[in-house]
Amino acid sequence: MSRKTRIIFHLDMDHFYTAVEERERPDLKGKPVVVGADPKEGKGRGVVATSNYEARKAGVRSGMPISRAWKLCPEAVYLPPNFPLYIRVSNEVMDIARGFADKFEQWGIDEAFLDVLERARSPDEAEALAKQLKQEIKLKENLTCSIGVGPNKLVAKIASDFKKPDGLTVVKEKEVESFLTPLPVRRLLWVGRKTEAKLKNMGIETIGDLARYDPSVLSETFGVMGLQMHLMARGIDNSEVETRSGVKSISHETTFEEDTDDPSVVLAALEALSNDVSEEAADQQLFFKTISIKVRYENFETHTTSKTLPFMTNRPKDLKKTARELLQNYLKHGRKIRLIGVRVSSFVSGEKQKTLV
Ligand code: TTP
Ligand code: CA
Protein backbone atom coordinates (compact mmCIF):
# COMPACT_ATOMS: atom_id res chain seq x y z
CA MET A 1 0.00 0.00 0.00
CA SER A 2 1.55 3.33 -0.96
CA ARG A 3 1.42 6.01 1.68
CA LYS A 4 2.27 9.64 1.18
CA THR A 5 4.32 11.20 3.95
CA ARG A 6 2.39 13.34 6.35
CA ILE A 7 3.14 15.06 9.64
CA ILE A 8 0.24 14.92 12.04
CA PHE A 9 -0.07 16.33 15.57
CA HIS A 10 -2.49 15.10 18.17
CA LEU A 11 -3.07 17.63 20.92
CA ASP A 12 -4.64 16.57 24.20
CA MET A 13 -5.16 18.96 27.11
CA ASP A 14 -3.98 17.67 30.50
CA HIS A 15 -6.70 16.75 33.06
CA PHE A 16 -8.82 19.31 31.28
CA TYR A 17 -11.78 20.16 33.57
CA THR A 18 -9.72 20.13 36.76
CA ALA A 19 -6.89 22.08 35.09
CA VAL A 20 -9.37 24.81 34.13
CA GLU A 21 -10.77 24.85 37.68
CA GLU A 22 -7.25 25.14 39.14
CA ARG A 23 -6.44 27.97 36.81
CA GLU A 24 -9.55 29.85 37.93
CA ARG A 25 -8.92 29.13 41.62
CA PRO A 26 -5.24 29.20 42.53
CA ASP A 27 -6.15 28.09 46.08
CA LEU A 28 -6.70 24.58 44.61
CA LYS A 29 -3.06 24.26 43.54
CA GLY A 30 -1.41 21.16 44.98
CA LYS A 31 -4.67 19.70 46.31
CA PRO A 32 -6.49 16.68 44.90
CA VAL A 33 -9.46 17.94 42.86
CA VAL A 34 -12.38 15.96 41.45
CA VAL A 35 -14.97 17.33 39.03
CA GLY A 36 -18.20 15.36 38.86
CA ALA A 37 -21.40 14.54 40.69
CA ASP A 38 -22.01 15.70 44.25
CA PRO A 39 -20.36 13.05 46.51
CA LYS A 40 -22.84 13.74 49.37
CA GLU A 41 -20.30 12.43 51.88
CA GLY A 42 -20.09 9.09 50.11
CA LYS A 43 -23.83 8.66 49.47
CA GLY A 44 -23.86 10.52 46.15
CA ARG A 45 -24.91 8.88 42.91
CA GLY A 46 -23.38 9.76 39.55
CA VAL A 47 -19.78 9.62 38.49
CA VAL A 48 -16.40 11.34 38.26
CA ALA A 49 -15.94 13.45 35.10
CA THR A 50 -12.24 13.88 35.73
CA SER A 51 -9.70 14.30 38.50
CA ASN A 52 -6.35 16.02 38.69
CA TYR A 53 -3.09 14.11 38.99
CA GLU A 54 -3.02 14.42 42.80
CA ALA A 55 -6.44 12.69 43.02
CA ARG A 56 -5.36 10.11 40.41
CA LYS A 57 -2.52 9.14 42.76
CA ALA A 58 -5.23 8.03 45.20
CA GLY A 59 -6.81 5.93 42.41
CA VAL A 60 -9.62 8.27 41.35
CA ARG A 61 -10.52 7.90 37.64
CA SER A 62 -12.97 9.32 35.07
CA GLY A 63 -16.24 7.39 34.98
CA MET A 64 -15.83 5.91 38.46
CA PRO A 65 -18.82 6.17 40.84
CA ILE A 66 -18.41 9.33 42.88
CA SER A 67 -19.08 7.32 46.06
CA ARG A 68 -16.00 5.23 45.33
CA ALA A 69 -13.92 8.35 44.67
CA TRP A 70 -15.03 9.64 48.07
CA LYS A 71 -13.82 6.44 49.74
CA LEU A 72 -10.47 6.61 47.96
CA CYS A 73 -9.91 10.31 48.48
CA PRO A 74 -12.25 12.00 50.98
CA GLU A 75 -9.84 14.92 51.36
CA ALA A 76 -10.20 15.97 47.69
CA VAL A 77 -11.98 19.16 46.70
CA TYR A 78 -15.18 18.04 44.89
CA LEU A 79 -16.56 20.46 42.32
CA PRO A 80 -19.63 20.33 40.07
CA PRO A 81 -18.84 20.67 36.37
CA ASN A 82 -18.98 24.14 34.87
CA PHE A 83 -19.57 23.21 31.22
CA PRO A 84 -20.00 26.75 29.84
CA LEU A 85 -16.56 27.63 31.23
CA TYR A 86 -14.89 24.47 29.83
CA ILE A 87 -16.44 25.05 26.44
CA ARG A 88 -15.29 28.67 26.35
CA VAL A 89 -11.73 27.66 27.26
CA SER A 90 -11.88 24.78 24.76
CA ASN A 91 -12.89 27.22 22.00
CA GLU A 92 -9.97 29.51 22.89
CA VAL A 93 -7.46 26.64 22.89
CA MET A 94 -8.82 25.32 19.59
CA ASP A 95 -8.50 28.79 18.03
CA ILE A 96 -4.82 28.90 19.01
CA ALA A 97 -4.20 25.37 17.69
CA ARG A 98 -6.06 26.02 14.43
CA GLY A 99 -3.52 28.78 13.72
CA PHE A 100 -0.74 26.15 13.67
CA ALA A 101 -2.37 23.78 11.20
CA ASP A 102 -2.88 23.41 7.47
CA LYS A 103 -5.81 21.12 8.22
CA PHE A 104 -7.47 21.02 11.61
CA GLU A 105 -9.94 18.62 13.18
CA GLN A 106 -11.32 19.08 16.67
CA TRP A 107 -11.88 15.76 18.39
CA GLY A 108 -13.88 16.09 21.53
CA ILE A 109 -13.75 18.96 23.97
CA ASP A 110 -10.01 18.92 24.61
CA GLU A 111 -8.36 17.12 21.69
CA ALA A 112 -7.52 17.97 18.10
CA PHE A 113 -5.65 16.61 15.10
CA LEU A 114 -3.47 18.97 13.06
CA ASP A 115 -1.95 18.26 9.66
CA VAL A 116 1.16 20.47 9.57
CA LEU A 117 3.12 19.20 6.58
CA GLU A 118 3.14 22.60 4.84
CA ARG A 119 4.63 24.23 7.95
CA ALA A 120 7.02 21.55 9.11
CA ARG A 121 8.78 19.54 6.44
CA SER A 122 10.82 17.31 8.74
CA PRO A 123 10.30 15.70 12.16
CA ASP A 124 12.78 18.21 13.65
CA GLU A 125 10.80 21.15 12.31
CA ALA A 126 7.64 19.46 13.57
CA GLU A 127 9.10 19.15 17.05
CA ALA A 128 9.98 22.85 17.10
CA LEU A 129 6.48 23.74 15.91
CA ALA A 130 4.85 21.54 18.56
CA LYS A 131 6.98 23.20 21.27
CA GLN A 132 5.84 26.59 20.02
CA LEU A 133 2.19 25.49 20.17
CA LYS A 134 2.61 24.21 23.72
CA GLN A 135 4.24 27.48 24.75
CA GLU A 136 1.51 29.57 23.22
CA ILE A 137 -1.23 27.61 24.98
CA LYS A 138 0.68 27.95 28.26
CA LEU A 139 1.21 31.65 27.75
CA LYS A 140 -2.27 32.59 26.59
CA GLU A 141 -4.35 30.09 28.57
CA ASN A 142 -2.07 29.09 31.43
CA LEU A 143 -2.79 25.42 30.71
CA THR A 144 -0.57 22.49 29.77
CA CYS A 145 -1.17 19.93 27.07
CA SER A 146 0.48 16.85 25.64
CA ILE A 147 1.26 16.52 21.95
CA GLY A 148 2.01 13.46 19.89
CA VAL A 149 3.62 13.81 16.47
CA GLY A 150 3.48 11.02 13.93
CA PRO A 151 3.03 10.12 10.27
CA ASN A 152 -0.69 9.53 10.77
CA LYS A 153 -3.57 10.21 13.18
CA LEU A 154 -3.37 6.83 14.87
CA VAL A 155 0.32 7.08 15.75
CA ALA A 156 -0.04 10.76 16.75
CA LYS A 157 -2.93 9.89 19.09
CA ILE A 158 -1.05 7.08 20.77
CA ALA A 159 2.04 9.29 21.02
CA SER A 160 0.18 12.13 22.80
CA ASP A 161 -0.80 9.66 25.50
CA PHE A 162 2.74 8.29 25.82
CA LYS A 163 4.06 11.02 28.12
CA LYS A 164 1.58 12.99 30.16
CA PRO A 165 1.20 15.63 31.53
CA ASP A 166 3.02 18.34 29.57
CA GLY A 167 4.51 15.76 27.21
CA LEU A 168 5.83 15.90 23.67
CA THR A 169 6.51 12.65 21.83
CA VAL A 170 7.71 12.59 18.23
CA VAL A 171 7.53 9.29 16.33
CA LYS A 172 9.27 9.28 12.96
CA GLU A 173 7.90 7.08 10.19
CA LYS A 174 10.78 4.60 10.51
CA GLU A 175 10.28 4.39 14.29
CA VAL A 176 6.58 3.52 14.18
CA GLU A 177 7.07 -0.22 14.55
CA SER A 178 9.52 -0.01 17.45
CA PHE A 179 7.34 2.59 19.16
CA LEU A 180 4.13 0.55 18.94
CA THR A 181 5.46 -2.99 19.45
CA PRO A 182 5.91 -2.99 23.26
CA LEU A 183 2.72 -1.04 24.09
CA PRO A 184 -0.33 -2.85 25.51
CA VAL A 185 -3.13 -3.43 22.95
CA ARG A 186 -5.42 -1.25 25.05
CA ARG A 187 -3.58 1.80 23.70
CA LEU A 188 -5.12 1.22 20.28
CA LEU A 189 -8.27 3.21 19.73
CA TRP A 190 -11.43 1.22 20.12
CA VAL A 191 -9.84 -1.64 21.99
CA GLY A 192 -12.06 -1.67 25.05
CA ARG A 193 -11.86 -3.91 28.10
CA LYS A 194 -13.91 -6.73 26.58
CA THR A 195 -11.79 -6.90 23.41
CA GLU A 196 -8.67 -6.64 25.54
CA ALA A 197 -9.78 -9.67 27.59
CA LYS A 198 -10.57 -11.70 24.44
CA LEU A 199 -7.20 -10.83 22.93
CA LYS A 200 -5.47 -11.81 26.13
CA ASN A 201 -7.13 -15.23 25.92
CA MET A 202 -5.62 -15.57 22.47
CA GLY A 203 -2.19 -14.76 23.90
CA ILE A 204 -2.16 -11.21 22.51
CA GLU A 205 -1.08 -8.60 25.05
CA THR A 206 1.03 -6.09 23.18
CA ILE A 207 0.48 -4.23 19.92
CA GLY A 208 3.44 -6.21 18.57
CA ASP A 209 1.69 -9.53 19.40
CA LEU A 210 -1.35 -8.28 17.49
CA ALA A 211 0.69 -7.13 14.48
CA ARG A 212 2.26 -10.59 14.20
CA TYR A 213 -1.03 -12.47 14.55
CA ASP A 214 -2.70 -14.21 11.61
CA PRO A 215 -5.23 -11.66 10.27
CA SER A 216 -7.59 -14.38 9.02
CA VAL A 217 -8.02 -15.69 12.58
CA LEU A 218 -8.60 -12.14 13.80
CA SER A 219 -11.26 -11.63 11.15
CA GLU A 220 -12.97 -14.92 12.10
CA THR A 221 -13.09 -13.84 15.74
CA PHE A 222 -13.84 -10.11 15.45
CA GLY A 223 -15.20 -9.68 11.92
CA VAL A 224 -14.19 -6.50 10.05
CA MET A 225 -13.01 -5.04 13.35
CA GLY A 226 -10.35 -7.80 13.50
CA LEU A 227 -8.81 -6.70 10.22
CA GLN A 228 -9.03 -3.07 11.27
CA MET A 229 -7.21 -3.87 14.53
CA HIS A 230 -4.51 -5.72 12.62
CA LEU A 231 -3.90 -2.70 10.37
CA MET A 232 -3.80 -0.40 13.38
CA ALA A 233 -1.34 -2.65 15.18
CA ARG A 234 0.96 -2.25 12.17
CA GLY A 235 0.62 1.53 12.49
CA ILE A 236 -1.36 1.87 9.27
CA ASP A 237 -3.95 4.63 9.13
CA ASN A 238 -4.69 6.57 5.96
CA SER A 239 -7.53 8.68 7.32
CA GLU A 240 -7.22 12.39 6.62
CA VAL A 241 -7.38 15.24 9.10
CA GLU A 242 -10.81 16.52 8.18
CA THR A 243 -11.67 20.13 8.68
CA ARG A 244 -15.23 20.11 9.92
CA SER A 245 -17.38 23.19 10.20
CA GLY A 246 -18.45 22.13 13.67
CA VAL A 247 -21.99 23.34 13.09
CA LYS A 248 -24.55 20.62 12.88
CA SER A 249 -28.13 20.28 13.85
CA ILE A 250 -30.41 17.65 15.31
CA SER A 251 -34.12 17.84 14.69
CA HIS A 252 -37.23 15.78 15.28
CA GLU A 253 -40.76 16.50 14.14
CA THR A 254 -44.15 14.92 14.38
CA THR A 255 -47.39 15.16 12.41
CA PHE A 256 -50.53 14.80 14.52
CA GLU A 257 -52.96 12.01 13.67
CA GLU A 258 -55.58 14.74 13.55
CA ASP A 259 -54.99 18.48 13.28
CA THR A 260 -55.36 19.95 16.75
CA ASP A 261 -55.84 23.26 18.56
CA ASP A 262 -55.64 21.65 22.02
CA PRO A 263 -52.62 23.27 23.75
CA SER A 264 -52.14 20.30 26.08
CA VAL A 265 -51.79 17.91 23.13
CA VAL A 266 -49.35 20.21 21.34
CA LEU A 267 -47.32 20.83 24.50
CA ALA A 268 -47.11 17.10 25.27
CA ALA A 269 -45.81 16.45 21.75
CA LEU A 270 -43.31 19.28 22.11
CA GLU A 271 -42.07 17.79 25.38
CA ALA A 272 -41.62 14.35 23.79
CA LEU A 273 -39.74 15.84 20.81
CA SER A 274 -37.52 17.89 23.13
CA ASN A 275 -36.67 14.73 25.06
CA ASP A 276 -35.76 12.89 21.85
CA VAL A 277 -33.58 15.74 20.61
CA SER A 278 -31.71 16.25 23.87
CA GLU A 279 -31.20 12.50 24.21
CA GLU A 280 -29.71 12.36 20.73
CA ALA A 281 -27.47 15.34 21.50
CA ALA A 282 -26.29 13.64 24.70
CA ASP A 283 -25.68 10.38 22.80
CA GLN A 284 -23.55 12.20 20.28
CA GLN A 285 -21.89 14.15 23.08
CA LEU A 286 -22.91 17.46 21.58
CA PHE A 287 -23.80 20.74 23.22
CA PHE A 288 -26.07 23.28 21.56
CA LYS A 289 -26.90 26.92 21.82
CA THR A 290 -29.67 27.63 19.31
CA ILE A 291 -33.13 26.15 19.69
CA SER A 292 -35.75 26.34 16.93
CA ILE A 293 -39.29 25.15 16.60
CA LYS A 294 -41.36 24.60 13.49
CA VAL A 295 -45.14 24.88 13.38
CA ARG A 296 -47.28 23.87 10.41
CA TYR A 297 -50.93 24.81 10.48
CA GLU A 298 -53.72 22.75 8.89
CA ASN A 299 -53.50 24.80 5.67
CA PHE A 300 -49.76 23.92 5.44
CA GLU A 301 -48.69 27.45 6.33
CA THR A 302 -45.32 26.81 8.06
CA HIS A 303 -43.41 28.97 10.53
CA THR A 304 -40.04 28.51 12.16
CA THR A 305 -38.66 30.57 14.98
CA SER A 306 -35.55 30.27 17.10
CA LYS A 307 -33.72 31.56 20.11
CA THR A 308 -30.01 31.48 20.88
CA LEU A 309 -29.12 30.94 24.52
CA PRO A 310 -26.20 32.80 26.10
CA PHE A 311 -24.61 29.43 27.00
CA MET A 312 -23.99 25.98 25.57
CA THR A 313 -26.11 23.21 27.02
CA ASN A 314 -27.50 19.75 26.42
CA ARG A 315 -29.83 19.71 29.40
CA PRO A 316 -33.37 18.64 28.49
CA LYS A 317 -34.84 21.26 30.80
CA ASP A 318 -33.15 24.17 28.96
CA LEU A 319 -34.44 22.83 25.67
CA LYS A 320 -37.99 22.28 26.93
CA LYS A 321 -38.29 25.67 28.57
CA THR A 322 -37.12 27.53 25.46
CA ALA A 323 -39.21 25.41 23.10
CA ARG A 324 -42.31 26.06 25.21
CA GLU A 325 -41.62 29.81 25.20
CA LEU A 326 -41.23 29.79 21.44
CA LEU A 327 -44.44 27.82 20.97
CA GLN A 328 -46.65 30.19 23.00
CA ASN A 329 -47.20 32.66 20.12
CA TYR A 330 -48.49 29.90 17.88
CA LEU A 331 -51.05 28.62 20.35
CA LYS A 332 -52.78 31.96 20.76
CA HIS A 333 -54.84 32.03 17.60
CA GLY A 334 -56.73 28.82 18.26
CA ARG A 335 -55.73 27.66 14.77
CA LYS A 336 -55.38 23.96 14.18
CA ILE A 337 -51.82 22.65 14.02
CA ARG A 338 -50.79 19.82 11.74
CA LEU A 339 -47.11 19.36 12.58
CA ILE A 340 -44.54 20.57 15.06
CA GLY A 341 -40.77 20.14 15.12
CA VAL A 342 -37.84 20.90 17.42
CA ARG A 343 -34.28 21.58 16.27
CA VAL A 344 -31.05 22.38 18.06
CA SER A 345 -27.88 23.66 16.39
CA SER A 346 -24.52 25.36 16.70
CA PHE A 347 -22.53 22.71 18.46
CA VAL A 348 -19.47 22.12 20.44
CA SER A 349 -18.63 18.52 20.83
CA GLY A 350 -17.89 17.30 24.30
CA GLU A 351 -16.97 13.94 22.85
CA LYS A 352 -15.84 12.52 26.15
CA GLN A 353 -18.97 13.54 28.04
CA LYS A 354 -19.91 9.88 28.13
CA THR A 355 -20.41 10.34 31.80
CA LEU A 356 -22.77 13.29 32.07
CA VAL A 357 -23.05 13.91 35.77
P1 TTP B 1 -9.67 13.13 28.82
O1 TTP B 1 -8.80 13.81 27.81
O2 TTP B 1 -9.95 11.68 28.64
O3 TTP B 1 -9.09 13.27 30.27
P2 TTP B 1 -8.44 14.52 30.98
O4 TTP B 1 -8.18 15.66 30.04
O5 TTP B 1 -9.25 14.87 32.19
O6 TTP B 1 -7.08 13.89 31.48
P3 TTP B 1 -5.76 13.51 30.66
O7 TTP B 1 -4.70 14.40 31.24
O8 TTP B 1 -5.52 12.07 30.97
O9 TTP B 1 -6.02 13.78 29.20
O10 TTP B 1 -11.07 13.88 28.89
C1 TTP B 1 -11.19 15.30 28.71
C2 TTP B 1 -12.31 15.83 29.57
O11 TTP B 1 -13.53 15.17 29.24
C3 TTP B 1 -12.09 15.59 31.04
O12 TTP B 1 -11.35 16.63 31.65
C4 TTP B 1 -13.48 15.45 31.57
C5 TTP B 1 -14.30 14.94 30.42
N1 TTP B 1 -14.61 13.49 30.60
C6 TTP B 1 -15.83 13.13 31.18
O13 TTP B 1 -16.64 13.99 31.52
N2 TTP B 1 -16.10 11.80 31.37
C7 TTP B 1 -15.22 10.80 31.02
O14 TTP B 1 -15.51 9.60 31.21
C8 TTP B 1 -13.98 11.18 30.42
C9 TTP B 1 -12.96 10.13 30.03
C10 TTP B 1 -13.72 12.53 30.23
CA1 CA C 1 -7.21 15.37 27.99
Side-chain angles (χ1 to χ4, degrees), residues 10-17 50 53 56 109-111 144-146 161 164 352:
H10 179 256
L11 163 90
D12 183 0
M13 300 303 293
D14 297 324
H15 67 103
F16 186 52
Y17 293 1
T50 198
Y53 288 79
R56 287 181 200 189
I109 196 162
D110 77 330
E111 291 178 38
T144 64
C145 64
S146 300
D161 201 37
K164 255 183 159 301
K352 280 173 286 184

Side-chain angles (χ1 to χ4, degrees), residues 26-320:
D27 59 301
L28 296 175
K29 202 89 211 125
K31 295 181 186 163
V33 181
V34 178
V35 168
D38 184 350
K40 296 188 179 153
E41 311 221 314
K43 295 188 196 73
R45 295 160 62 86
V47 295
V48 172
T50 198
S51 51
N52 67 359
Y53 288 79
E54 284 82 355
R56 287 181 200 189
K57 274 184 212 144
V60 179
R61 295 283 179 275
S62 292
M64 164 185 285
I66 200 79
S67 53
R68 178 152 165 69
W70 179 269
K71 272 199 204 104
L72 292 168
C73 197
E75 70 279 17
V77 179
Y78 287 83
L79 299 171
N82 181 348
F83 294 121
L85 171 66
Y86 310 147
I87 288 165
R88 183 168 60 75
V89 177
S90 161
N91 287 341
E92 288 168 9
V93 169
M94 295 301 157
D95 282 346
I96 295 171
R98 199 174 282 113
F100 280 72
D102 305 310
K103 287 197 268 174
F104 181 83
E105 180 177 352
Q106 186 173 347
W107 186 260
I109 196 162
D110 77 330
E111 291 178 38
F113 290 102
L114 292 75
D115 187 325
V116 300
L117 188 62
E118 303 292 318
R119 290 154 202 254
R121 302 215 149 250
S122 67
D124 287 345
E125 280 180 29
E127 183 163 353
L129 190 70
K131 278 189 183 149
Q132 226 181 309
L133 172 55
K134 281 165 66 73
Q135 269 166 14
E136 196 153 328
I137 293 175
K138 180 73 186 132
L139 198 73
K140 291 196 173 146
E141 295 295 331
N142 196 20
L143 292 170
T144 64
C145 64
S146 300
I147 296 181
V149 180
N152 59 43
K153 286 162 85 173
L154 173 77
V155 173
K157 169 111 175 125
I158 297 172
S160 72
D161 201 37
F162 190 69
K163 187 169 170 284
K164 255 183 159 301
D166 206 10
L168 172 57
T169 304
V170 181
V171 182
K172 297 178 186 159
E173 183 137 37
K174 60 177 188 308
E175 298 165 350
V176 168
E177 194 183 334
S178 58
F179 172 66
L180 293 179
T181 297
L183 299 178
V185 278
R186 193 70 207 277
R187 293 287 179 95
L188 291 177
L189 277 85
W190 305 300
V191 175
R193 291 196 187 286
K194 280 190 193 149
T195 311
E196 186 186 22
K198 266 195 193 173
L199 289 170
K200 200 170 176 185
N201 279 338
M202 296 163 76
I204 301 170
E205 298 204 13
T206 65
I207 296 181
D209 296 338
L210 184 58
R212 285 187 297 271
Y213 214 83
D214 181 350
S216 59
V217 180
L218 291 171
S219 116
E220 268 166 38
T221 318
F222 299 99
V224 184
M225 197 47 220
L227 294 178
Q228 183 67 32
M229 281 194 302
H230 192 246
L231 284 176
M232 293 196 307
R234 289 155 61 216
I236 297 172
D237 170 24
N238 293 321
S239 63
E240 293 286 331
V241 173
E242 282 174 50
T243 306
R244 286 181 290 183
S245 74
V247 180
K248 288 193 211 164
S249 68
I250 296 175
S251 62
H252 281 249
E253 54 184 49
T254 187
T255 304
F256 295 108
E257 287 294 321
E258 267 177 46
D259 300 342
T260 179
D261 57 3
D262 181 344
S264 64
V265 172
V266 183
L267 282 167
L270 188 81
E271 168 123 4
L273 291 170
S274 301
N275 279 335
D276 292 347
V277 168
S278 54
E279 224 169 79
E280 196 173 323
D283 276 356
Q284 296 185 32
Q285 294 120 32
L286 294 168
F287 291 78
F288 48 82
K289 211 171 169 181
T290 302
I291 294 163
S292 318
I293 63 155
K294 173 160 134 184
V295 176
R296 177 168 293 154
Y297 290 113
E298 56 186 335
N299 64 351
F300 280 84
E301 185 187 312
T302 305
H303 298 260
T304 56
T305 177
S306 54
K307 181 175 172 179
T308 298
L309 300 172
F311 52 88
M312 288 278 178
T313 180
N314 67 2
R315 289 191 305 189
K317 75 173 186 199
D318 294 332
L319 173 54
K320 283 184 206 164

